[in-house]
Amino acid sequence: MNGAPIGGISGVMDYRIKLDIFEGPLDLLLYLIRKNEIDIYDIPISMITEQYIAYLDAMKSLNLDLAGEYLVLAATLLHIKSRMLLPVHEEEGAEEEDPRAELVRQLLEYQAFKEAALDLNNRKLLDRDLFVRKEPVDDRDDDGDSPIREVGVFELVKAFQRVITERGGDFTMEIDTETMSLSQRVSEILDLLNEKKTLTFNELLGREFNRRSIVFTFLALLELMKMRVARAFQQAPYETIRIYLAVELEGTEDHEGAENGY
Amino acid sequence: MKELKTVIESLLFVSDIPLSIKKMKELLDDVSESDVAAAVRELVDEYSRREGGVFLAEVAGGFQFRTADISTPWILKFRGGRPASLSQAALETLAVIAYRQPVLKSDIEQVRGVDVSAALKGLLEKNLVRVVGRKDVPGRPIMYGTTKRFLEVFNLKDLSELPTLRELKELEEEETFD
């Protein structure tokens, strides 16, 4: 560590405009390393920490939303700094790992992907640098002449309301022995779709008369549609809604799992 | 074999997605895959020699007519609107998915040091990435991978055409020092 002068506080003013262009704490740190022409394998932690914190202060003074991740890295930097100050016990034999090692590894990894992102963006991109005669339609597996149309969220909500009113009278009170989570229900539906390929909306809801279960199933379905994993189709308004798996799930162990009824 | 080449050219012209050799062979009866491949190669050469406004590109496991670079400004003008672009956050997230697939959301966040929910959602909506399965660990978290559309948009024949990560070798060497 050398006692390089800290261009921090006054320098920060010049860079205010850049604050919002950082992709995150690692990006900011990489920027500081590059700006100071520092060897990434030998980061002067004290100086970098001060500059980093000066940036955070500037962000705060501008009332920028300071993501928690920035503070986490600040804490990490301070921790490394304090470890660097501790005397190294040479006599203990085994070389202690440089306290900066993990951070360096993370920075190099992030830098590699940042460059990969740049490489991707430098390629000839469709609809920016080159074009095709006709844009591919999203529903490729849809054979144009079938009257089947994709169901949107609003129709699903309507269908959901119908189910709720249809089954409304029969709602049973039951003691909740198992607590269900949304992600668990998402998993179950995925398994079911993976096995059966297609389900009607009613089949999906099954014999559920528990309002909570119906709501969970519905929310899970919306989640799957949002993730573009499941798609819903129907022939005409108020017709049966069918749910399809939009992608083939890979991984063979999934099938066994589905049979055992996770 | 002249007819074969003609038919293939027409098929490529009407298709709105890259056509694979396999798909063309299925459409054309009694033709071997190598004959189809040879005819496609000839077409690729012809278009490239001609240096015209379209060329036959090998992309996403198939072949597709694409426009020449030189025409881009005028095509953009003709089409109106702004050219497609991705944010830095989206590109970085996409890069991690492309190189690390199948990958968990938490792994991407580990690399980028930030929450990637919004970027991931955008990529899913653009159909550049997809859910490829779930990891067999408690909670069965969802794994993400790139789509065929990703190859089409980034003008890649297949994933192996992605350049190797530059810093990765350096990284591995560094680790052996520890």
Side-chain angles (χ1 to χ4, degrees):
Chain A
M1 255 190 285
N2 55 18
I6 295 143
I9 314 298
S10 63
V12 163
M13 308 301 276
D14 315 330
Y15 292 100
R16 278 195 165 190
I17 204 116
K18 286 188 174 174
L19 287 174
D20 60 334
I21 64 157
F22 293 115
E23 283 301 325
L26 294 174
D27 201 19
L28 171 53
L29 205 51
L30 274 181
Y31 166 76
L32 291 176
I33 287 166
R34 216 169 303 134
K35 188 183 128 222
N36 291 290
E37 293 175 7
I38 287 168
D39 175 9
I40 199 162
Y41 295 104
D42 189 20
I43 303 171
I45 285 292
S46 191
M47 167 184 139
I48 281 293
T49 305
E50 272 183 69
Q51 289 196 14
Y52 181 86
I53 290 171
Y55 264 87
L56 296 201
D57 286 341
M59 279 167 149
K60 264 186 262 171
S61 70
L62 286 173
N63 279 331
L64 285 179
D65 214 4
L66 197 58
E69 296 107 351
Y70 282 96
L71 300 176
V72 172
L73 186 58
T76 306
L77 284 171
L78 287 169
H79 180 66
I80 294 171
K81 187 179 157 187
S82 66
R83 277 181 64 194
M84 300 281 289
L85 292 173
L86 292 175
V88 186
H89 302 293
E90 298 270 356
E91 66 275 14
E92 271 173 31
E95 332 95 69
E96 243 174 273
E97 203 194 17
D98 189 322
R100 298 170 294 183
E102 172 56 24
L103 182 65
V104 170
R105 192 201 60 75
Q106 228 182 319
L107 281 170
L108 286 174
E109 185 183 48
Y110 176 63
Q111 186 173 271
F113 282 108
K114 221 172 131 60
E115 280 175 32
L118 192 69
D119 285 346
L120 279 178
N121 203 32
N122 285 339
R123 297 189 63 82
K124 284 178 187 168
L125 292 202
L126 191 62
D127 287 335
R128 186 186 73 184
D129 309 307
L130 44 75
F131 304 83
V132 294
R133 202 174 49 77
K134 192 187 150 205
E135 271 299 85
V137 209
D138 249 346
D139 339 29
R140 269 173 213 176
D141 35 10
D142 214 15
D143 44 312
D145 36 57
S146 105
I148 292 172
R149 37 183 223 101
E150 187 145 13
V151 179
V153 171
F154 291 110
E155 280 125 313
L156 270 182
V157 172
K158 267 192 237 160
F160 171 69
Q161 281 168 340
R162 279 203 305 278
V163 172
I164 287 282
T165 39
E166 274 166 26
R167 301 182 181 192
D170 295 46
F171 270 136
T172 50
M173 288 297 289
E174 66 180 59
I175 298 148
D176 225 352
T177 46
E178 44 172 345
T179 39
M180 187 188 270
S181 77
L182 186 58
S183 63
Q184 190 188 336
R185 191 67 189 125
V186 167
S187 281
E188 284 169 6
I189 297 179
L190 265 179
D191 279 335
L192 212 58
L193 279 174
N194 216 15
E195 187 188 7
K196 302 204 165 149
K197 303 294 170 222
T198 172
L199 288 167
T200 66
F201 191 57
N202 275 309
E203 277 168 359
L204 187 67
L205 290 171
R207 288 170 298 280
E208 291 292 358
F209 284 101
N210 177 307
R211 184 185 280 263
R212 200 174 124 84
S213 303
I214 294 180
V215 170
F216 261 117
T217 300
F218 183 66
L219 288 178
L221 177 60
L222 288 183
E223 187 66 23
L224 284 167
M225 287 175 70
K226 198 181 82 186
M227 295 191 301
R228 290 180 166 262
V229 175
R231 301 170 72 181
F233 294 93
Q234 69 182 162
Q235 272 180 325
Y238 301 102
E239 285 281 319
T240 310
I241 294 177
R242 286 202 152 269
I243 323 289
Y244 292 86
L245 201 59
V247 288
E248 282 295 313
L249 289 189
E250 283 154 20
T252 43
E253 78 282 353
D254 280 355
H255 297 290
E256 294 151 35
E259 251 126 59
N260 297 338
Y262 260 53
Chain B
M1 273 306 131
K2 195 159 181 288
E3 268 172 48
L4 177 64
K5 204 167 81 184
T6 306
V7 174
I8 286 172
E9 188 174 8
S10 304
L11 288 174
L12 286 164
F13 176 74
V14 296
S15 174
D16 54 11
I17 54 168
L19 272 188
S20 66
I21 304 273
K22 195 164 159 267
K23 176 78 187 165
M24 289 185 253
K25 185 218 173 307
E26 279 166 22
L27 287 164
L28 304 153
D29 313 310
D30 305 326
V31 189
S32 74
E33 218 162 283
S34 61
D35 283 346
V36 175
V40 170
R41 282 286 153 217
E42 262 183 63
L43 282 168
V44 170
D45 287 348
E46 281 173 22
Y47 275 91
S48 114
R49 265 203 306 277
R50 188 173 159 264
E51 291 183 43
V54 291
F55 64 100
L56 191 51
E58 186 174 355
V59 64
F63 292 84
Q64 185 178 40
F65 283 119
R66 298 193 149 199
T67 59
D69 292 354
I70 199 170
S71 320
T72 300
W74 292 275
I75 299 168
L76 285 170
K77 201 168 154 190
F78 168 70
R79 285 226 177 151
R82 285 191 295 156
S85 72
L86 286 169
S87 70
Q88 185 63 24
L91 283 166
E92 286 180 15
T93 304
L94 188 57
V96 180
I97 296 174
Y99 282 94
R100 287 274 165 89
Q101 60 187 313
V103 68
L104 303 176
K105 183 171 168 244
S106 57
D107 296 335
I108 310 169
E109 289 177 337
Q110 181 72 36
V111 172
R112 291 197 55 226
V114 290
D115 176 71
V116 298
S117 306
L120 194 56
K121 186 168 170 278
L123 293 171
L124 284 162
E125 274 164 10
K126 287 190 169 75
N127 197 18
L128 294 171
V129 302
R130 65 190 184 98
V131 172
V132 291
R134 279 168 302 138
K135 197 169 180 172
D136 212 7
V137 295
R140 315 203 76 203
I142 284 168
M143 297 189 292
Y144 298 91
T146 52
T147 59
K148 210 166 183 179
R149 178 76 184 151
F150 164 74
L151 298 175
E152 285 176 40
V153 169
F154 285 87
N155 209 29
L156 292 157
K157 288 184 190 113
D158 51 49
L159 285 172
S160 70
E161 212 195 328
L162 282 173
T164 33
L165 277 184
R166 239 173 281 158
E167 303 293 318
L168 228 53
K169 278 208 186 81
E170 202 180 324
L171 203 70
E172 276 151 18
E173 281 162 23
E174 177 65 15
E175 265 164 15
T176 54
F177 278 122
D178 294 342

